Amino acid sequence: MTVRLRNTLTRNVEPVEPLEAGRVRMYSCGPTVYRYAHVGNLRSYLLADLIRRALLYHGLEVFHVKNVTDVGHLRDERFDRGEDRMLLAAGLESKTPAEIAAAYEAAFHADEAAVNILPAHVFPRATEHIDDMLAMVEQLVDRGAAYLSHHGNVYFSVGNFPGYGRLSGNDLDELRAGHRGAVETDKQDPADFALWKHAGEGRLLRWPTRRWGEGFPGWHIECSAMSARYLGPEFDIHTGGVDNVFPHHEDEIAQSASLTGRPPARHWVHGEFLLMSGRKMAKSAGNFQRITELAEAGFDPLAFRYLALTSRYGRKLNYSDRSIGAAAAALESLRSRLRALGPPPPDGHWAAPEPLRPGAAGERPSGIADGPAGHGDRNESFRLRDRAHDTAPPLSAGGRDLHGRMVSAVDDDLDTPTALAVVREMLRASLSPDERRWLVLDADLVLGLDLDRVWADVSAEDDGLQPDQRRLLEERSAARARRDFPRADALRAELLELGLEVTDRAGGETTWRKVGKR
Ligand code: AMP
Ligand code: ZN
């Protein structure tokens, strides 16, 4: 079995079967960099990250592209009253649009890193792909799929595209009825959408064209052009939030399919909203939270990742002080149970599972991505192991059962709440501490909670401990985990000899203080 995901286009849960053997190509709608990303946006990016990790876990390479919208054009025609948001922000912050975009782009990378999102291999910027967009618009006009209006705008003619509405389930006549009285008067059909807009007075970001004077691209053409540039005319997975289904992805399909004959992606996966105070978290509504604010309030940003995992991606999830607090507490209890099992041995069967190799993206671009950096995935030949079916250590029957249930949950359209429940069972199971620890660390390759940090944190906090003191402390916590209390007592005596007094507290925690060598 492999990963199965709900496909908005077919409305079925379908296995991901890559077009190219062993290699999945995925496109995710990325950030608009005239404002900060909020944790609602991060929920969408976490969905793509989870898909990527699940596929990697199955031994499939994933080539991931996530666009950066730095054009500053309007994302929704309903709001198009001629104002330019990038210009607005530029006025507010007395910076150039490029400076504003660069600053928000850097913040976006930092936010993604804070919740352990594997960086995409390419973060193409819209402003650097205007030529690709123009070429596509020209082709659409030449084929009669689009037209130039008397106001100098180029519109896509939805009536000429038979599949319009298939993704969103919208009916063209209903759409037309909904548009009655709309402000744009230069469209042939009220449901037509803009591919290229004529730049009016005062528009800061504008580009010359061969055929239509100066203007700027529509939002949807951005993703059609950039996905085709990096992933080809047909790729495997396209992700976004549910608000991307219509009009954004519906229009992407119409544009691309008018040129190639089929939708650009096979599998369209959409994540439900994160809510705050009962409504979609949104910057415009003022009900939003940044991941940095969460950290300032004293939470580990990974508590948000944990919160996202407690719900299936297709369900709405509530964000509140209470829900994030509960997630932080649950993550902490998971960590302390794991810590009690002691650190993994450096080698042998029960050494920590080797990390997923996310491909040659290498370092997260610091601040600003250099165009198609990290493309190396293509050239690097490495074989990934299918960890779902080929577990390295010899698991017991009980271990195999737990491992199998974790994999089934992930494969079942990313049932992360069940996967988390299985992880808790792994910690409690009557298996050796080695096996329990291995199972949990292995599951965490998909969950991405950095659970192996529990031991790194201990050694970092223990600065000032001598290496032999630390070694004995770790040995002792492993002995306690396997309930070998005579050994733990012997080690306590040895530690005292070395000047460390060790105390076991209620709840399983162990503390120590320096008392000087005996
Ligand atoms: P935007 O910058 O508004 O285009 O949003 C970037 C991504 O975040 C898109 O894929 C949106 O669908 C998604 N998104 C926006 N708001 C939310 C929310 N409250 N919950 C989940 N995803 C969201
Ligand atoms: Zn997009």
Side-chain angles (χ1 to χ4, degrees):
M1 280 307 246
T2 185
V3 184
R4 280 162 286 127
L5 299 170
R6 179 163 297 279
N7 186 350
T8 311
L9 195 57
T10 61
R11 285 145 183 84
N12 291 322
V13 177
E14 296 165 357
V16 177
E17 281 153 0
L19 291 153
E20 216 180 303
R23 186 169 185 267
V24 173
R25 280 169 283 152
M26 176 160 84
Y27 186 90
S28 300
C29 286
T32 308
V33 288
Y34 56 67
R35 49 167 156 71
Y36 290 116
H38 51 64
V39 290
N41 301 131
L42 288 182
R43 186 183 185 203
S44 274
Y45 307 143
L46 280 167
L47 163 60
D49 186 64
L50 210 63
I51 294 174
R52 189 165 154 195
R53 286 170 181 268
L55 293 168
L56 281 168
Y57 188 86
H58 276 274
L60 292 165
E61 209 185 319
V62 183
F63 184 58
H64 192 193
V65 177
K66 187 179 287 178
N67 69 296
V68 172
T69 298
D70 58 351
V71 168
H73 63 71
L74 298 151
R75 311 276 317 235
D76 186 324
E77 290 182 60
R78 277 177 303 141
F79 296 119
D80 196 353
R81 303 285 184 274
E83 88 247 59
D84 180 322
R85 290 192 191 178
M86 195 73 93
L87 176 64
L88 225 70
L92 288 174
E93 303 180 33
S94 64
K95 288 179 191 151
T96 66
E99 284 171 335
I100 290 171
Y104 284 126
E105 192 179 315
F108 156 75
H109 288 305
D111 290 352
E112 277 210 326
V115 292
N116 259 352
I117 291 176
L118 299 173
H121 298 94
V122 192
F123 289 100
R125 297 192 190 99
T127 52
E128 290 167 4
H129 296 80
I130 301 292
D131 287 347
D132 287 333
M133 298 178 210
L134 275 171
M136 211 164 185
V137 178
E138 285 182 10
Q139 272 182 298
L140 287 166
V141 171
D142 292 345
R143 292 205 184 184
Y147 59 91
L148 179 67
S149 81
H150 58 268
H151 285 171
N153 300 314
V154 181
Y155 291 110
F156 183 91
S157 186
V158 294
N160 289 341
F161 180 70
Y164 199 73
R166 191 176 144 210
L167 181 77
S168 57
N170 276 319
D171 176 90
L172 201 45
D173 287 328
E174 281 171 20
L175 285 175
R176 285 178 180 133
H179 279 283
R180 208 166 285 144
V183 277
E184 296 96 351
T185 52
D186 61 334
K187 291 181 182 177
Q188 291 173 1
D189 183 327
D192 290 347
F193 60 89
L195 297 174
W196 187 261
K197 292 213 140 194
H198 176 70
E201 285 290 311
R203 175 161 284 269
L204 216 52
L205 289 173
R206 54 205 291 155
W207 289 268
T209 67
R210 290 188 298 129
R211 288 159 67 170
W212 312 304
E214 288 200 346
F216 58 100
W219 171 32
H220 320 305
I221 198 72
E222 171 189 326
C223 286
S224 281
M226 298 198 292
S227 65
R229 148 88 39 200
Y230 296 101
L231 299 173
E234 195 183 16
F235 52 93
D236 298 288
I237 304 176
H238 197 312
T239 74
V242 284
D243 54 343
N244 285 158
V245 175
F246 188 86
H248 187 45
H249 291 168
E250 189 76 65
D251 292 354
E252 260 184 74
I253 292 176
Q255 294 162 161
S256 299
S258 292
L259 297 179
T260 65
R262 52 180 107 93
R266 275 193 177 179
H267 226 117
W268 295 75
V269 188
H270 294 100
E272 253 298 350
F273 287 143
L274 186 71
L275 308 179
M276 193 171 177
S277 320
R279 282 177 309 153
K280 174 194 175 189
M281 183 176 285
K283 173 93 185 199
S284 53
N287 59 332
F288 69 98
Q289 180 101 33
R290 283 195 62 200
I291 196 76
T292 48
E293 293 171 324
L294 217 123
E296 281 155 20
F299 288 108
D300 181 336
L302 288 177
F304 179 70
R305 187 171 178 113
Y306 187 96
L307 176 63
L309 293 170
T310 61
S311 160
R312 297 193 72 151
Y313 73 86
R315 301 185 73 102
K316 292 186 175 65
L317 171 64
N318 224 31
Y319 180 88
S320 64
D321 289 349
R322 236 177 94 174
S323 70
I324 190 68
L331 175 58
E332 213 30 66
S333 94
L334 224 158
R335 284 177 174 155
S336 77
R337 280 167 189 271
L338 181 64
R339 188 181 290 122
L341 297 179
D347 42 39
H349 286 319
W350 303 115
E354 53 180 304
L356 294 177
R357 289 195 55 182
E363 295 297 299
R364 173 173 294 273
S366 61
I368 300 156
D370 285 329
H375 233 130
D377 229 17
R378 263 189 184 289
N379 311 321
E380 201 180 322
S381 59
F382 60 86
R383 273 181 56 79
L384 296 169
R385 198 159 50 80
D386 180 352
R387 297 159 189 259
H389 297 97
D390 162 27
T391 58
L395 296 179
S396 65
R400 274 200 305 278
D401 172 61
L402 286 161
H403 178 263
R405 281 162 53 209
M406 186 280 295
V407 174
S408 305
V410 171
D411 286 359
D412 177 17
D413 198 21
L414 307 177
D415 183 356
T416 49
T418 298
L420 281 177
V422 175
V423 166
R424 294 190 178 283
E425 272 189 63
M426 288 169 172
L427 285 163
R428 286 193 311 262
S430 40
L431 302 172
S432 74
D434 276 339
E435 188 165 2
R436 284 187 278 160
R437 180 203 314 108
W438 187 90
L439 286 166
V440 172
L441 292 180
D442 176 72
D444 193 41
L445 296 176
V446 180
L447 302 177
L449 293 167
D450 267 2
L451 293 176
D452 58 347
R453 250 178 31 195
V454 296
W455 300 291
D457 286 353
V458 167
S459 28
E461 282 164 19
D462 287 358
D463 259 356
L465 278 187
Q466 291 153 7
D468 51 352
Q469 291 173 328
R470 180 169 308 135
R471 187 177 50 77
L472 290 185
L473 268 178
E474 284 171 359
E475 225 179 288
R476 185 167 181 278
S477 90
R480 273 168 52 75
R482 42 169 210 275
R483 309 187 80 74
D484 184 355
F485 296 116
R487 176 75 187 137
D489 284 343
L491 285 163
R492 186 210 306 273
E494 269 190 67
L495 280 158
L496 197 58
E497 290 284 323
L498 293 173
L500 222 55
E501 185 186 69
V502 179
T503 312
D504 298 318
R505 312 244 168 227
E509 203 201 350
T510 298
T511 58
W512 51 261
R513 70 188 179 100
K514 292 185 182 170
V515 290
K517 286 204 178 175
R518 296 286 152 108

